[in-house]
Structures are given as structure tokens and as C-alpha cells.
Amino acid sequence: MSNASHSSPIDKPRVRFAPSPTGFLHVGSARTFIFNWLYARHNNGTMILRLDDTDVERNTDASVNSIFEGLKWLGLGWDEEYKQSDRGPLHRQTAQTIFEKGLAYRDFTPAHTGDSEKSGAQGTWLFNPGMREMSREESDRRAAAGEPFALRFRVPRDGGQVVRFADAVYGDQMKAGADIEDFALLRSDGNPTYHLASCADDADLRISHIIRGQDHLSNTFKHVLIFEAAGYTPPKFAHLPLLVAPDGTKLSKRRHGPVVSVTTYRDAGFLSEAFINFLCLLGWSPKDDRTKLSLQELVAIFSLEGINRANAVVNFKEPAATAEETFDPKAIWLNAEHIRGLAVEDLSQRLLPIVHEAGFNVAPEKMLQITPLIRERIKLLKEVLTAADFFFVDQLPPYDPAELIPQKGDAAMTKRVLEKASAVLPNTEFKHDPLDQALRGAAQELGLKAGQMFQPIRVAVCGRKNAPGLFETLEVLGKPVVLQRIQQALTKLP
């Protein structure tokens, strides 16, 4: 173990994201990763990914894959990567160092040598005097005889000793040593507890700032004791407010399901940069109250001082009646804003895989033509399949012929409009201005308002009234498709 973090100051921060692979990547965990990443990048520091995978019974390969899948979608990356399970010798060496200093003791009590880090009912147990006060000679004898034991930290209890640390979000924290249980460092099978492994790794990796969820705040008293007992200056701490559901309950995988999974947002059609923007505004705010922020802007202005103490509410409806209600309205609004801010070429490239996955064989060139027509009309990338479906299909799905009839019109008027369009369009160049001139001229010849001319054509070629601009749509669909669909519409009229 290196004592670099104890012996020399750190000019640039080293931060870490240390997920436990026991399920998919939680949105709260993603926010923790993002805040660490932003802090590192803002300060030209180092971002470390460490899988805290020592809980063998709960860790799964599927969870590991899910975490990496979620992080890959965020697209932020990291500088160093470690697996806690590869670092067992370091953890045991740290425990031995603490034990040799007399700051830990063996606990042979059968109830206290199992896998649990906590002991006793309702957490009321603090220590077993018989074990804590056992002589070293007796302890060595029983250990040499093969009697199983847990290794426990000897929390200082005399003289009113207090454990303190400063938190960048919640301020100065203190707790009497007499109120902290003699927590386990090693289980009876020799495996480290979370507390020991986490602190040993943080020390060895020279982590300068631990930025993690507020649910770890109470653990930090134990961690300060471990750092100091092992001969290290504890890192700086910043605990993040929790993400909660609309009813105030903690956002949990077990209760709230897919809505708390990062990949749910990805699969619904969120842009990763919009999702990052949204998560940053949950529990943190820029000084100027901006909402739509690019990644570059977030890196430039991020600071721990901007983190709030109050828990952050993710507003979604339970149960959700529509896919959109699954998500916080602010997340959807931000996504729409980011979509509108993308270059057409960039957005087109992001939409094309969704269209192909849905089974539509659309060429990149055509997608590039369609994209500017729907960019203002979609909030989620997946909505391309409903906003632009009529561009992709050979045959329109059935629609109500009554939709063809314009306001203050009838079937006879509609028939005249479509027949006139069938006569005019074959000789019209399929570009915006020529189409505009030709169809407005046709409306005048029929003695109709432009809207009465345009609606039947729009419904005929799109299958609905709500569609992008008519002339742009006709241009992208092309003359053969437009004329064919108008003829089909005529057959629907009486």
C-alpha cells in the first residue's frame, strides 16, 4: 500500500465512482458518476471507475454488463479502472496494520462472526466487552486453534472522544465515539467488509475527494476512523442529496422499477447529453439559474458549492398512463430542447438506427431530408416512428376518409381538389417554391382558400392532418409517391 496520499499534497483531484454490481445502473448512481466526472474535468483531475464487487452472493455478470452499458451510453469515459475483488491482499494488509496497532480485535462470538457487518437487534449492539477486553495472548491462542472470528474496529469510547469531518454539502459533522458500534473489518471467512475494502482502496488509489450519495453520510464516521488508523489523512467528503419519487420515498429499483434505470431513458429516445443535463439539475444548480446546458458548459461551471442539501424530486406519474408520463416533464422538455439544438446531420445519424431497427429500409440521404421536417415536432428520438412514419411506408395505413374533407367543405369539394392536384402536379417541379406556386394557383382557379386546397392533399399523402409543412413534405416524398397516394385518396371518396 502506498502512503502517497498521506505524505504529499494532491494538486489535482482524484475522484472515483464505485458502483456495486447488484442491478442495473440506477439514475442516482449515474448522477453520482456525472458529478464526480464534472468535478474531475473542471479541475483537470482524474476520474476513476472502481467496481466494488466484493459482495460475491449479490454481484452478477448481468449487473456488471448493465453498469457498463449505461456508462457507455452516457459517453463520458474515465481515466483508470479497477475491480475491488482483485485487491483482496491490500484489504487484508490494511486490516492487519490496524490490528497490529491495537486498534482492532478478534471477535469469536458465533453470532458476530458471520457475514453481517451490523450486529445485534435494531442496531442497539455496540460491542462485546468480553471480546474487546480479551488479552492478546488469549486471542492469539484461540485464533491459532482455528476458532473462527471477525476482526472488529476498536472504536475509541473513553474520555468523550468525538469523530469529526467536514462535508462540502452538509457542513461539519460530528458523532461521539461512544455511539459508534465496533464495526467489522474482516468477516470470519477472511473477506473484507464494505467499510474496510472501500477505505483501503480509496487510500491506495490516492482518492482526494469522495463524492457520493447522502445515504453514505452515516458510514463516513467509520471511514474516518479507518483512514486515520491505517495512517492516512481522510479525503475530503461531499455527500449528494438523494433522488426521491413524487411521494417523497427514496427512488428505488425494487419499488419503482425501470423508471430508475439509465437504459430506460436511452431506450425511450433520450439524448445522453439531455439526460446528463437533467440529472445535473437534480440537487445542483448553476449560479445563473440556466436550465439548458451543454456538457462543455457544465464542465466550465460545475462546483461542489452548487449542490443543494434538500432531496431532489423526480416527477413521474405512478402508474403512468402513457410512455411520456413515465418520465419527469422537465426531462422531456430538456430533451426536446437539445434535439432542436442539434445539427441536422447529427440528429439524422441518431434517428437512422431507430428507423432501421423498426424495420424501415430508409437511405441516409432520405433521412437527412426528413430530419429538418420533424426536428421541431419530436421530444424523444423514438417519436420519429410516429412523426415521420408516412415517409417510411410504401402504403399508408387506413385512415378515416372524412379527414380528407376540409373545413367548410364537402366530399365534392375534396374530389375537385384532389383531381386538380392530380392534373397540376405531374408538370410541377417538386421543389418548395414551384409546389407552392402551383397549388396556390390551383386553389385560385377552383375559387378556394389555400387551406381548403392544402388539407385534402396533406391527408392524402400523410394519412393525417397533423404533419410537417406541405411543400417540404411533397418534395421529400417525391412525385411518384405523391401522385399514387392522391389517386388512392380519390377512391376513398363517394
Side-chain angles (χ1 to χ4, degrees):
M1 182 190 299
S2 162
N3 275 329
S5 65
H6 178 65
S7 58
S8 62
I10 295 178
D11 297 322
K12 295 180 179 178
R14 289 174 61 82
V15 298
R16 50 71 159 179
F17 174 57
S20 177
T22 56
F24 48 69
L25 183 61
H26 188 290
V27 292
S29 299
R31 186 191 59 166
T32 299
F33 174 84
I34 292 164
F35 281 10
N36 275 278
W37 187 92
L38 289 173
Y39 189 77
R41 295 297 175 255
H42 178 82
N43 295 287
N44 297 311
T46 301
M47 177 71 205
I48 294 166
L49 174 65
R50 186 183 76 220
L51 282 181
D52 281 5
D53 60 345
T54 52
D55 190 344
V56 179
E57 290 185 2
R58 295 180 63 212
N59 295 338
T60 66
D61 289 340
S63 294
V64 172
N65 293 337
S66 176
I67 288 171
F68 277 99
E69 193 179 348
L71 292 177
K72 181 182 177 183
W73 177 62
L74 293 179
L76 300 181
W78 48 89
D79 305 307
E80 299 175 17
E81 181 179 331
Y82 303 92
K83 284 178 66 177
Q84 200 169 62
S85 57
D86 294 336
R87 302 168 64 79
L90 167 73
H91 306 149
R92 285 183 280 276
Q93 179 187 336
T94 303
Q96 187 64 28
T97 298
I98 294 172
F99 178 68
E100 293 298 338
K101 290 180 179 180
L103 301 177
Y105 62 92
R106 300 184 183 103
D107 184 349
F108 298 94
T109 311
H112 298 167
T113 58
D115 292 332
S116 175
E117 293 176 23
K118 290 191 177 293
S119 305
Q122 288 80 49
T124 56
W125 183 94
L126 289 173
F127 68 99
N128 183 329
M131 295 294 142
R132 182 178 168 113
E133 296 160 11
M134 183 184 295
S135 70
R136 177 64 184 267
E137 291 74 23
E138 175 67 5
S139 175
D140 287 347
R141 182 190 67 76
R142 291 177 67 170
E147 195 173 340
F149 62 87
L151 190 68
R152 292 193 172 278
F153 194 93
R154 191 186 301 274
V155 176
R157 305 189 173 281
D158 303 326
Q161 294 196 47
V162 173
V163 182
R164 304 173 187 269
F165 66 92
D167 189 85
V169 177
Y170 292 91
D172 292 336
Q173 305 289 313
M174 58 181 290
K175 189 172 187 177
D179 294 332
I180 303 172
E181 69 175 41
D182 283 3
F183 54 93
L185 298 174
L186 295 177
R187 299 185 179 92
S188 58
D189 58 7
N191 285 323
T193 61
Y194 158 75
H195 302 299
L196 174 70
S198 181
C199 293
D201 285 336
D202 287 338
D204 183 64
L205 298 175
R206 297 176 292 115
I207 301 302
S208 64
H209 295 72
I210 294 178
I211 305 169
R212 61 188 176 191
Q214 185 266 344
D215 48 345
H216 284 289
L217 191 66
S218 59
N219 289 331
T220 306
F221 297 103
K222 298 175 182 178
H223 297 179
V224 168
L225 289 171
I226 294 173
F227 283 120
E228 292 178 343
Y232 289 89
T233 301
K236 294 183 172 67
F237 297 96
H239 287 86
L240 310 176
L242 300 180
L243 300 186
V244 296
D247 63 0
T249 57
K250 183 180 174 183
L251 211 56
S252 74
K253 300 174 184 178
R254 185 174 293 106
R255 177 173 174 187
H256 301 107
V259 71
V260 304
S261 170
V262 169
T263 48
T264 299
Y265 287 78
R266 178 200 65 187
D267 296 343
F270 279 84
L271 297 170
S272 59
E273 54 266 51
F275 179 68
I276 291 168
N277 187 171
F278 169 66
L279 283 188
C280 284
L281 298 178
L282 293 174
W284 172 86
S285 55
K287 294 175 182 176
D288 56 8
D289 292 329
R290 278 181 290 170
T291 49
K292 180 178 180 285
L293 294 158
S294 69
L295 194 57
Q296 292 74 21
E297 289 171 323
L298 287 167
V299 169
I301 64 177
F302 184 80
S303 70
L304 298 179
E305 290 73 30
I307 298 173
N308 309 318
R309 294 188 181 188
N311 289 339
V313 179
V314 182
N315 286 303
F316 57 91
K317 292 193 177 178
E318 289 186 285
T322 65
E324 199 166 292
E325 287 183 356
T326 303
F327 305 105
D328 191 310
K330 189 170 187 177
I332 293 175
W333 176 82
L334 272 172
N335 201 63
E337 289 292 301
H338 278 270
I339 284 175
R340 284 193 281 273
L342 287 179
V344 170
E345 294 77 7
D346 187 358
L347 179 56
S348 180
Q349 288 174 0
R350 301 193 198 208
L351 294 174
L352 196 59
I354 297 171
V355 174
H356 285 168
E357 189 178 334
F360 299 115
N361 186 22
V362 178
E365 300 77 24
K366 185 173 183 181
M367 194 68 237
L368 198 57
Q369 289 180 296
I370 296 169
T371 299
L373 305 190
I374 63 167
R375 181 167 53 172
E376 305 285 330
R377 307 176 71 85
I378 61 174
K379 298 174 183 176
L380 300 168
L381 295 179
K382 272 283 180 74
E383 290 176 357
V384 64
L385 299 177
T386 51
D389 55 340
F390 54 87
F391 286 115
F392 308 142
V393 296
D394 294 328
Q395 294 292 332
L396 291 176
Y399 58 87
D400 184 356
E403 293 282 291
L404 291 162
I405 300 173
Q407 194 172 7
K408 295 182 180 179
D410 54 21
M413 176 194 289
T414 303
K415 191 171 184 180
R416 292 205 321 273
V417 166
L418 295 179
E419 286 175 343
K420 185 68 171 176
S422 295
V424 169
L425 290 176
N427 303 314
T428 302
E429 182 185 7
F430 264 58
K431 298 290 184 185
H432 181 283
D433 291 349
L435 287 165
D436 186 342
Q437 293 169 10
L439 292 178
R440 288 185 191 278
Q444 284 184 336
E445 290 177 25
L446 292 175
L448 300 176
K449 294 179 180 178
Q452 292 175 313
M453 182 80 190
F454 296 163
Q455 181 182 318
I457 299 172
R458 177 179 287 109
V459 175
V461 300
C462 301
R464 58 176 180 264
K465 296 176 185 176
N466 186 12
L470 178 60
F471 310 122
E472 297 91 337
T473 299
L474 297 179
E475 183 177 347
V476 172
L477 283 170
K479 188 178 293 187
V481 171
V482 168
L483 293 174
Q484 179 192 32
R485 290 184 181 179
I486 289 175
Q487 287 302 313
Q488 289 172 338
L490 280 165
T491 66
K492 296 177 182 289
L493 295 169

